[in-house]
Amino acid sequence: LHRLIRRQRQMCIRDRLELELELELELELESLELELELSLSLSFFFSFSLSLGVFSLMAAIFAFIVL
């Protein structure tokens, strides 16, 4: 009986450690997903801003040439 109780305890400890690792990995994955989402949002924002800047510059040059 003693050996069975000890085995059960070892299994519980192993299961707890596996669960903790799994939860830690899930949190890390969520964090990376949020970072990627933020990075893509910022990338889109800056590329859109850059496009507007180039468009404004082109309009100014065109206005200067025409006038």
Side-chain angles (χ1 to χ4, degrees):
L1 181 67
H2 181 311
R3 189 173 29 171
L4 293 176
I5 292 173
R6 185 170 169 214
R7 172 100 171 114
Q8 181 64 36
R9 183 173 177 269
Q10 289 173 341
M11 290 172 57
C12 288
I13 292 170
R14 183 203 65 207
D15 291 346
R16 188 188 80 232
L17 293 175
E18 287 178 0
L19 180 61
E20 288 175 1
L21 180 60
E22 185 178 323
L23 291 173
E24 191 175 313
L25 289 173
E26 284 180 18
L27 289 174
E28 183 67 26
L29 180 60
E30 287 178 15
S31 175
L32 289 172
E33 287 173 345
L34 289 174
E35 284 182 35
L36 178 60
E37 187 177 319
L38 178 61
S39 176
L40 291 174
S41 296
L42 289 175
S43 175
F44 174 76
F45 173 76
F46 285 122
S47 67
F48 182 71
S49 297
L50 181 60
S51 296
L52 284 178
V54 169
F55 179 75
S56 297
L57 180 61
M58 290 173 60
I61 292 171
F62 179 74
F64 179 75
I65 292 172
V66 171
L67 299 177

